[in-house]
Amino acid sequence: MAINWFKKIVKDYPKFWETYLSCFNENQSKEQRYVVFDCETTGLDYKSDRILSIGAVGIQNNQIIVGDFMEVFLQQDVFNPETVTLHGILREGKEEKVVEAEAIIRFLDFIKNATLVGHHVDFDIEMINQALDRLDVGKLQNQAMDTDVMYQKLKYLPQEQQSSLDELCDIYKIKKSDRHTASGDAFITALLFLKLKRKLEI
Amino acid sequence: MKNPIAERITDFLKHYPPFSSLPYESLLEIAKTCQVIYLEKNQTLFKINDATHSFFYVVASGAVGLSVTSDSDDVLIDKCDEGDILGLRPFFAKNNYLMTAKAREESIIYAIPIETFKPYVAANPDVLSFLLESFASNTRNPYDKSHKGKLISENVIYNDQSSEIQYYQPIKYTSNPITASPNDIVKFVAQTMSSSKIGSMIIHENRKPIGIVTDKDLRSKIATGLYSIDVTIDKIMSSPVITVADNLSIAEAQIIMLKNNVSHLCVTKDGSTDSEITGIITEHDIVVAQANNPGVLLKQSKRAQRSSDLKEVREKLADLIQHSLDKNVPINHIGSIVGEINLAITKRAIELAIEKIGTPPPAQFAWINIGSQGRKEQLLLTDQDNAIIFEDVPEDNYDTVKKYFLELAEKATKTLNKVGYDFCPNEMMASNSLWCKSISDWQNQFKGWIINPADKNVLQNTIFFDYDFVYGNESLVDTITKTIHEEINDNQLFFAYLGADALKNPPPLGFFRQFLVESDGEHKDTFDLKGRALMPLIDAARILSLSKGIKNTANTISRYAKLAELEPQNAPVYEACADAFAELLKFRTEEGLKNESDGRYLNLSELSKLDKVKLKNDFQPINDIQEVIKNKFQLTYFT
């Protein structure tokens, strides 16, 4: 049970959060699962900007499981017209949209205790954590791996030297056909992750 | 839920068989269940004897090699590129994989669960037959013949397909044949037949066949006096005519002819005698269709009317080469057959060019092939090298005559290019005004090369010493030969130049008997078979046979044979060179056929150990022959 002994009151968390937390108590007998995900956002400020869409896909046994997939588009209260040109998600787009809470619940239900993978994943995790905060629950508990950090390790690059997803795609000859949709980026990142994972012999 | 990743995979799959015959929605369902695998170079997907996976695979990018093990060497059987499927075994058989699949470069693979795919296979006969054929032939392309003979020890369903498949191919026949009506007069029908050079004519009524007249009818009924030449054709026609539908295979056509004891079949719209005539099949069509026969190819090239006809001959020739190699016909025999057919193709291309110009050549001329074509060593489609020699003409006529021959060469080389012989990158072709000139100019040209080898760049033009008469007046070529042999007699400087050139490529083995491979450029780490092994032998044969006054022999193996005759003391070296050359040429040809390239660069990692040993043994004679040249022309002083 996830009980914080230092908190005076044991908070009564909503059901979805309990379910999420309970995932981490299961014995990890199964094959390690990774979830590669990407958030499209209204901007790069995690305080004021909001998530537009989340795309995520599962990896198990070094294989991208195409059926193990989620994609969700969020209804927007905060809307930044400047970034529309970049990601192409309009406030009144065609996609079915859900409220932020619903999106986050679906996301938690999808990732369970998987190791999260992303390119510059800290930002995406922080965006999710901000949303979780608005739901008044804790932060993500999952382990996380960053494809850029993996690349730095592989090439012995200093931490400051960051590479964009585009750059790495060019280096590893991954077709960038669906860049800048959440699920497209997730898939590309997944391919990149498989390559780097193999090279680092993780 | 929408799944853009699955859509992306669907968009890829739909371009490739068998997926292309499935509807988009089904593909999307399949794509949703598949998995994406990344393979590093040399990573294996499955190994021989592995239990079969519950997936089969499609290469999304990169390349995967399929290999079997024989004598502890991996023998590459097939290479799967983008869109190719592999690992079909679990569909049809319960036992383990019989091949190893290994990534030959970084690859992304889509794994499709067999369980999801099975219902689609059952419901869709196109998909089933594609998979069955792929599986049966055990290569992804069911009609790929190049792997014949390598799978015998593998108990996969294997059969010698090439001859049979050809046998079951639809036959090509004459469509819209010339016909006559029943009340036409025999005499006029016979006149039409001879002017159109045909041996039979179908007699029709309202476009429906009612009979046929053949040479035989004319012979047995008219020439014998049974009927007069003025009767109507229906008196002598054979009736009824045997009719067949379109799309008959060669085998069927032959059987129907045998059954009915006829030599002609009439093709009609629905195959009955009561429908419109669309074509005629003759025995000749059947012979032509069973084409891998040098005689037929020769005949076919002589009859060719267009460059596309010649192209067809050249394509069938490739099959013939492959077939002969598989049957272990000595390479020299293959070479001479192929040489003859190449020759026939070139001749026909020249004739067609003359026909096209419309006026006969204004002077006697000779077309010669030079270089590898001249040596008749051109098994693969390499480039064309040729030249024209025309007789001396009055000076004021020279320009017009030359213009005619340049135009002729332009047209002929273009035709040859369409057939598949690339243009010579160095423009060593008769269409280049440098290499289309009168006999005196040619004599001066050769004299220049021989007397002043340094100034006249003889080294870039040694291929002109390997020539073969193709078309026209052969005595012009004999004159050239005579000039060359007069001029080179005891010309030490010329031989010194040529000799030094022949030695510029030492035997291609390093100090530890390892192969010398290309160290840079696009062919890095491959072995330059032409430059490092074939050329030294060719160059050596040329200089030695020139010095011995051997005439009218450009072929390298024949040159060595002649040399062995003339110089018994060195015969073992020459014979070894001939053998080595034949072996190396075979390597090149096989490599070229396998990769549809000119076979110049060998990928050593794909060679079996036995092949490597063979190859190395072929290099020893290069060393020996170069020693002979060094001593003979005293090049040790010169170089």
Side-chain angles (χ1 to χ4, degrees):
Chain A
M1 292 303 283
I3 294 164
N4 192 336
W5 297 104
F6 297 96
K7 268 204 171 164
K8 284 184 184 139
I9 312 152
V10 176
K11 223 180 139 183
D12 201 10
Y13 285 123
K15 180 90 175 37
F16 76 88
W17 187 249
E18 297 286 358
T19 318
Y20 168 67
L21 291 180
S22 71
C23 294
F24 291 87
N25 297 326
E26 285 168 16
N27 279 333
Q28 296 216 350
S29 56
K30 279 193 296 178
E31 188 81 41
Q32 167 77 340
R33 177 169 175 258
Y34 298 88
V35 166
V36 187
F37 80 111
D38 183 65
C39 298
E40 295 298 318
T41 60
T42 54
L44 292 175
D45 182 343
Y46 57 82
K47 285 249 186 305
S48 61
D49 282 311
R50 289 291 183 269
I51 300 171
L52 287 163
S53 65
I54 310 173
V57 65
I59 290 181
Q60 239 164 326
N61 197 13
N62 289 323
Q63 306 187 355
I64 302 173
I65 317 289
V66 178
D68 188 12
F69 168 82
M70 74 160 285
E71 182 180 54
V72 70
F73 292 91
L74 280 70
Q75 282 177 16
Q76 291 311 309
D77 306 319
V78 180
F79 188 73
N80 180 356
E82 280 162 30
T83 56
V84 169
T85 46
L86 185 65
H87 49 64
I89 300 172
L90 291 163
R91 189 156 45 176
E92 304 297 335
K94 280 187 222 119
E95 298 88 357
E96 182 221 355
K97 303 230 174 81
V98 299
V99 293
E100 186 178 78
E102 166 74 13
I104 294 300
I105 291 168
R106 279 197 206 171
F107 180 69
L108 292 182
D109 183 47
F110 179 77
I111 61 170
K112 301 198 168 68
N113 65 344
T115 301
L116 295 178
V117 180
H119 197 73
H120 300 145
V121 72
D122 289 347
F123 172 75
D124 299 272
I125 288 178
E126 193 49 46
M127 288 302 291
I128 304 276
N129 279 339
Q130 289 292 326
L132 287 170
D133 193 44
R134 288 191 283 276
L135 294 172
D136 207 18
V137 289
K139 289 176 187 300
L140 283 175
Q141 309 289 305
N142 304 60
Q143 291 190 344
M145 289 172 87
D146 186 333
T147 39
D148 194 23
V149 174
M150 288 169 83
Y151 179 68
Q152 287 168 355
K153 288 241 167 77
L154 184 67
K155 296 286 169 191
Y156 304 104
L157 297 175
Q159 254 190 346
E160 317 79 69
Q161 192 176 332
Q162 295 206 339
S163 316
S164 72
L165 185 54
D166 275 326
E167 282 165 351
L168 294 191
C169 281
D170 288 340
I171 293 168
Y172 290 104
K173 300 192 187 71
I174 297 170
K175 284 183 202 148
K176 299 178 283 191
S177 53
D178 296 338
R179 274 291 271 131
H180 300 304
T181 66
S183 47
D185 277 5
F187 184 56
I188 288 163
T189 312
L191 289 174
L192 179 62
F193 174 67
L194 284 183
K195 293 196 177 196
L196 291 168
K197 185 165 175 288
R198 176 84 201 175
K199 290 188 197 299
L200 287 163
E201 291 168 10
I202 305 174
Chain B
M1 181 171 56
K2 262 186 79 168
N3 186 332
I5 299 177
E7 283 166 20
R8 179 174 167 151
I9 292 169
T10 309
D11 285 336
F12 173 83
L13 291 179
K14 72 181 180 198
H15 296 297
Y16 300 98
F19 308 105
S20 45
S21 40
L22 290 172
Y24 189 85
E25 294 72 38
S26 311
L27 280 182
L28 191 60
E29 287 311 309
I30 294 166
K32 276 183 187 166
T33 62
C34 82
Q35 308 194 354
V36 184
I37 303 171
Y38 162 73
L39 294 178
E40 217 175 20
K41 190 173 177 180
N42 291 330
Q43 198 182 339
T44 42
L45 186 58
F46 52 78
K47 277 222 284 286
I48 298 181
N49 264 332
D50 276 3
T52 46
H53 300 176
S54 52
F55 298 90
F56 72 100
Y57 303 97
V58 183
V59 180
S61 68
V64 176
L66 289 173
S67 56
V68 295
T69 311
S70 89
D71 302 339
S72 78
D73 267 320
D74 277 350
V75 181
L76 187 76
I77 298 290
D78 198 4
K79 210 175 98 186
C80 298
D81 299 317
E82 239 180 69
D84 290 334
I85 48 179
L86 66 152
L88 286 172
R89 193 159 186 79
F91 264 107
F92 305 103
K94 289 236 156 21
N95 49 0
N96 299 345
Y97 286 116
L98 291 171
M99 287 195 235
T100 299
K102 202 188 228 179
R104 290 168 57 81
E105 50 192 82
E106 277 197 328
S107 306
I108 290 172
I109 313 289
Y110 297 145
I112 300 177
I114 283 166
E115 281 313 308
T116 19
F117 201 63
K118 261 191 178 158
Y120 296 100
V121 175
N124 197 321
D126 286 353
V127 175
L128 178 64
S129 65
F130 180 87
L131 294 186
L132 268 175
E133 279 171 4
S134 308
F135 179 70
S137 63
N138 212 21
T139 68
R140 69 207 138 70
N141 177 351
Y143 301 118
D144 187 337
K145 272 173 277 162
S146 63
H147 305 302
K148 256 164 44 67
K150 287 183 183 161
L151 292 171
I152 298 168
S153 60
E154 287 289 297
N155 59 357
V156 263
I157 308 165
Y158 165 78
N159 45 31
D160 182 341
Q161 286 180 335
S162 68
S163 54
E164 286 139 53
I165 285 224
Q166 206 186 12
Y167 204 55
Y168 292 111
Q169 272 172 357
I171 190 164
K172 281 196 183 130
Y173 57 87
T174 316
S175 50
N176 299 321
I178 301 170
T179 55
S181 26
N183 46 10
D184 286 349
I185 303 299
V186 168
K187 185 179 170 187
F188 298 121
V189 173
Q191 278 170 355
T192 314
M193 280 169 69
S194 36
S195 66
S196 323
K197 290 181 188 149
I198 53 174
S200 63
M201 188 134 55
I202 294 173
I203 314 303
H204 76 99
E205 207 159 48
N206 301 327
R207 298 296 302 151
K208 289 168 191 165
I210 58 163
I212 185 166
V213 173
T214 65
D215 283 348
K216 195 178 148 204
D217 295 313
L218 295 172
R219 188 171 70 229
S220 64
K221 294 172 192 164
I222 301 294
T224 54
L226 210 53
Y227 289 92
S228 131
I229 196 165
D230 308 319
V231 296
T232 50
I233 196 78
D234 57 340
K235 298 280 188 310
I236 67 154
M237 71 183 184
S238 309
S239 176
V241 58
I242 309 297
T243 54
V244 290
D246 193 9
N247 264 334
L248 209 60
S249 72
I250 298 163
E252 283 173 304
Q254 201 165 26
I255 287 164
I256 295 171
M257 284 185 185
L258 286 172
K259 212 167 72 184
N260 296 293
N261 195 22
V262 294
S263 53
H264 298 80
L265 300 173
C266 177
V267 186
T268 59
K269 249 187 184 158
D270 65 2
S272 76
T273 46
D274 197 30
S275 76
E276 202 176 306
I277 301 167
T278 58
I280 183 164
I281 302 176
T282 67
E283 263 180 338
H284 172 77
D285 293 325
I286 290 180
V287 175
V288 168
Q290 289 167 338
N292 290 358
N293 167 329
V296 174
L297 289 182
L298 269 178
K299 213 171 184 181
Q300 224 184 328
S301 47
K302 281 184 188 148
R303 289 180 170 205
Q305 287 303 321
R306 285 180 302 270
S307 53
S308 59
D309 298 340
L310 289 172
K311 186 170 182 177
E312 204 174 300
V313 175
R314 189 58 183 86
E315 275 161 9
K316 284 183 187 157
L317 185 57
D319 288 348
L320 176 70
I321 297 171
Q322 179 73 62
H323 219 75
S324 312
L325 283 175
D326 292 345
K327 295 219 165 108
N328 270 324
V329 177
I331 194 98
N332 212 22
H333 291 260
I334 305 177
S336 58
I337 293 168
V338 175
E340 284 310 319
I341 295 171
N342 278 336
L343 208 63
I345 293 175
T346 314
K347 272 187 185 160
R348 190 64 196 145
I350 298 166
E351 283 170 2
L352 288 174
I354 295 176
E355 274 174 38
K356 223 188 257 171
I357 295 177
T359 53
Q364 294 283 330
F365 76 103
W367 177 293
I368 55 173
N369 276 346
I370 52 179
S372 70
Q373 277 190 325
R375 293 191 302 269
K376 294 199 181 168
E377 284 156 11
Q378 195 187 43
L379 292 183
L380 300 157
L381 280 170
T382 49
D383 48 2
Q384 40 171 319
D385 305 300
N386 43 47
I388 283 181
I389 309 164
F390 54 83
E391 66 178 335
D392 284 325
V393 290
E395 210 168 309
D396 43 342
N397 254 350
Y398 190 90
D399 285 344
T400 26
V401 170
K402 181 160 179 164
K403 210 175 139 224
Y404 178 92
F405 285 116
L406 280 174
E407 190 186 348
L408 170 71
E410 182 84 20
K411 289 196 156 64
T413 51
K414 227 180 214 165
T415 306
L416 290 171
N417 186 47
K418 277 188 200 147
V419 172
Y421 306 96
D422 287 339
F423 288 125
C424 173
N426 300 324
E427 295 260 339
M428 289 191 180
M429 294 187 295
S431 51
N432 180 341
S433 76
L434 271 176
W435 314 126
C436 171
K437 50 194 172 191
S438 72
I439 179 91
S440 310
D441 288 353
W442 271 111
Q443 282 171 313
N444 289 334
Q445 176 78 65
F446 274 104
K447 277 183 199 161
W449 278 330
I450 294 165
I451 297 165
N452 272 320
D455 298 344
K456 303 284 182 186
N457 277 332
V458 68
L459 298 185
Q460 280 161 30
N461 298 311
T462 50
I463 68 164
F464 283 98
F465 290 88
D466 302 338
Y467 53 85
D468 185 32
F469 168 73
V470 178
Y471 188 93
N473 185 342
E474 194 165 1
S475 66
L476 291 167
V477 183
D478 294 339
T479 313
I480 294 285
T481 308
K482 223 176 118 213
T483 310
I484 293 174
H485 284 277
E486 277 166 13
E487 293 299 328
I488 58 175
N489 199 14
D490 278 331
N491 183 329
Q492 296 221 348
L493 186 65
F494 173 71
F495 283 114
Y497 258 92
L498 232 52
D501 185 50
L503 298 184
K504 71 176 182 285
N505 284 319
L509 283 179
F511 189 71
F512 296 104
R513 268 180 72 76
Q514 80 278 31
F515 286 96
L516 293 178
V517 293
E518 304 316 300
S519 51
D520 45 29
E522 66 171 315
H523 299 291
K524 190 168 185 295
D525 292 334
T526 59
F527 179 72
D528 181 353
L529 194 60
K530 181 184 176 193
R532 288 189 187 269
L534 288 167
M535 285 316 290
L537 286 170
I538 294 169
D539 290 340
R542 181 187 306 116
I543 178 176
L544 287 165
S545 61
L546 281 173
S547 78
K548 278 277 153 194
I550 297 171
K551 287 176 195 159
N552 300 329
T553 308
N555 183 273
T556 302
I557 295 174
S558 312
R559 276 175 169 168
Y560 281 122
K562 280 245 169 96
L563 284 167
E565 245 171 66
L566 294 172
E567 247 178 57
Q569 72 276 22
N570 281 331
V573 178
Y574 296 142
E575 279 156 14
C577 284
D579 291 347
F581 185 80
E583 186 86 32
L584 291 164
L585 194 58
K586 191 170 168 186
F587 266 111
R588 181 173 179 190
T589 310
E590 281 175 345
E591 178 75 12
L593 287 172
K594 199 165 75 191
N595 300 329
E596 284 178 32
S597 65
D598 67 1
R600 176 168 186 165
Y601 295 95
L602 271 187
N603 192 344
L604 292 176
S605 57
E606 282 172 14
L607 286 184
S608 71
K609 201 161 185 183
L610 183 65
D611 279 345
K612 279 186 196 162
V613 171
K614 267 196 209 160
L615 204 50
K616 281 185 186 174
N617 288 340
D618 292 333
F619 299 155
Q620 189 55 44
I622 299 180
N623 193 36
D624 298 345
I625 198 77
Q626 292 190 343
E627 283 305 315
V628 171
I629 291 175
K630 266 186 215 162
N631 292 328
K632 205 173 187 108
F633 304 107
Q634 290 166 354
L635 295 175
T636 23
Y637 305 117
F638 183 79
T639 42

